[in-house]
Amino acid sequence: MSSAHPEDARARLADDTRLECRICWYLYDPAEGDDTQQIPPGTPFLGLPDHWRCPQCDAEPNAFLPAED
Ligand SMILES: [Zn+2]
């Protein structure tokens, strides 16, 4: 059983929260989705498939942090 860290920031994400890759600074915007991986616009970060990776540097989703506005 692999439980996430209780303090995992992703647990507090809203559906429209944008996340930034902390490795390459790619910004995932739920309003835009990710057309390189067939993610339709309107897909929240938590709705991304398990195999989704940063389209720029191939980082796993846990490398992403909520972007500050
Ligand atoms: Zn990246």
Side-chain angles (χ1 to χ4, degrees):
M1 178 172 169
S2 62
S3 66
H5 299 285
E7 299 300 320
D8 193 332
R10 288 181 293 166
R12 299 192 301 270
L13 294 181
D15 283 356
D16 62 350
T17 301
R18 295 175 305 154
L19 283 95
E20 220 165 30
C21 176
R22 65 186 179 194
I23 297 170
C24 74
W25 304 112
Y26 167 84
L27 183 69
Y28 179 77
D29 185 345
E32 296 185 6
D34 172 17
D35 59 7
T36 71
Q37 290 172 82
Q38 291 80 50
I39 306 300
T43 303
F45 192 80
L46 293 179
L48 292 170
D50 289 343
H51 60 260
W52 186 84
R53 296 293 183 269
C54 176
Q56 287 190 176
C57 75
D58 209 35
E60 295 185 4
N62 64 13
F64 281 68
L65 297 172
E68 306 285 341
D69 267 322

